[in-house]
Amino acid sequence: MLTALTGVFGDRADAVSVAGRTASYEELLGAAGTVAADLASLGPVRAFAVTATASLETVAAVVGGLLAGVPCVPMPPDAGPAERDHILRDSGARPIEVDFARRAPAASAAPTRPPAAAPEDPALILYTSGTTGAPKGVVLSTAAITADLDALADAWEWSAQDTLVHGLPLFHVHGLVLGVLGALRTGSRLVHTGRPTPEAYAEAAEAGGSLYFGVPTVWSRIAAAPQAAAALSRARLLVSGSAALPTPVFRDLERLTGHRPVERYGMTETLITVSGRAGGAVRPGAVGTPLTGIRTRIAAEPGAEIGELQLVGPTLFSGYLGRPEATAAAFTEDGWFRTGDIAAVDGDGVHRIVGRASTDMIKSGGYRIGAGEIENALLDHPRVREAAVIGVPDADLGERIVAFVVAEGVTGAELTEFVATHLSVHKRPREVRFIAAVPRNAMGKPQKRLLLDGE
Ligand code: MCA
Ligand code: AMP
């Protein structure tokens, strides 16, 4: 997995830089070895958890888990107590703290032999929201991760000559799998900017950044900061993903940076499966063609050209942790993964994502947020009788979370704060609207599409 750390790419003092702190591979491997030794001393553990701040400590923890063959559960640093408890209880993971500077005594240092784990063993367990209920643990094997990173290296001509720049959270596929493990696998230098601001991305370009990752919100903020955007003209490749890149943002980036950004599509459960290619034709609104090893199909009604995107390939997850029924339900009878995304394939095989099957899955700022999880948090408030949550189109965030509630004696601000004490901060509603009743059909099922009627 960690080609770079085996020394193939040599060492350099500035191999990995996160939020202003820099380490060589040797220093990273030292800290990761200490984590691996600590994990070994715990005896058999199912998994371990780290609070995944944007830091060298998080990188060391994840690499340490790979060395020890113990799966890592990266937890959102802003998770409220309820979400944190759920993740720890559901995964059975042991929380650990990492001190980057500490070194294990030589006797207990991590073994230098290859990790005990087989490629099919779990490497990461990432918690992600479904349409209802609490987040589920997506189990990702080393084999799936390496298959994906190698396919992406191929698609993007990503190599040890690159300096990867991004500032994305380290508890999701985008920032962690692509943004950290991808750099280690290809041997490219990594500059994590702490936060993905236009100024930080521009500064990194002046310091040699060549490959840039961002969610559409990040790219739209860069497009609105022409000076910062101009600095990115020195880059080799700009890549957007996690949500749809609006065409006006694509056009603005092209005008300001001289680059046509490459879009790619993926999910926590499948990793990245479809992408544009470096040096290939790229068009706005399209996510490219399947990566090496991935097969896709559109499950369309007879005569229709759009339908659910389904896929198979070596990058798929091993299952939802401890939920065989949910895992089975995610696949068709003939074994294809049901993405829940509605797509079309153009004549040249280029895929376009045109929507999602369920209104209950919200994408805000690139974060995937289940409406049901927020509704449950709101319903825990003693003053709330009914709650319905939807994503409303938003120029900056793609969608913003809006909660419709039936409640008396409580303010919208209090309810927003209440959600933040339960769940991650980014799951707070941006707006709370008070209504007399949630519209329902004859069966009592909420009719969310009616919530915005009459506005
Ligand atoms: C946010 N704020 C709020 C509320 N929400 N305040 C009051 N009420 C609210 N409801 C606060 C924030 O805490 C922040 O405060 C300030 O408002 C600005 O927030 P925001 O606009 O959200 O900006 P941001 O904090 O800068 O976040 C934008 C972001 C972020 C950086 C684009 O959304 C982000 O990091 N997204 C990346 C998500 C991601 O990596 N997804 C990948 C999933 P303060 O300034 O005090 O902090 S993996 C995936 O999807 C796959 C596999 C794939 O395809 O990649
Ligand atoms: P997550 O599991 O957080 O990675 O979210 C996966 C979802 O993000 C997918 O099911 C899509 O709905 C959405 N997504 C990811 N990349 C793109 C993209 N390039 N265009 C449109 N939607 C995307």
Side-chain angles (χ1 to χ4, degrees), residues 78 126 128 167-176 178 195-197 214-219 221 240-243 264-272 363-368 396-397 401 416-417 425-431:
D78 66 351
L126 302 185
T128 190
L168 297 167
L170 298 187
F171 46 90
H172 283 311
V173 163
H174 199 163
L176 184 60
L178 277 61
R195 287 178 69 89
T197 60
V215 297
T217 301
V218 169
W219 290 121
R221 291 178 185 182
S240 179
S242 303
R264 93 294 179 289
Y265 160 85
M267 289 184 78
T268 307
E269 289 88 338
T270 64
L271 302 178
I272 308 309
K363 266 272 159 161
S364 187
Y367 284 116
R368 164 170 156 186
D396 180 44
L397 298 166
I401 305 170
T416 301
E417 209 29 58
V425 164
H426 63 262
K427 294 179 181 168
R428 278 176 298 191
R430 300 265 163 171
E431 277 176 58

Side-chain angles (χ1 to χ4, degrees), residues 218-285:
V218 169
W219 290 121
S220 109
R221 291 178 185 182
I222 289 173
Q227 229 180 326
L232 298 195
S233 58
R234 302 161 182 227
R236 181 179 70 78
L237 192 69
L238 312 182
V239 183
S240 179
S242 303
L245 183 70
T247 298
V249 177
F250 180 103
R251 298 266 181 239
D252 286 347
L253 282 177
E254 183 177 20
R255 184 172 46 80
L256 294 166
T257 69
H259 293 290
R260 288 166 79 79
V262 166
E263 246 198 290
R264 93 294 179 289
Y265 160 85
M267 289 184 78
T268 307
E269 289 88 338
T270 64
L271 302 178
I272 308 309
T273 48
V274 181
S275 179
R277 301 295 192 272
V282 166
R283 53 179 188 264

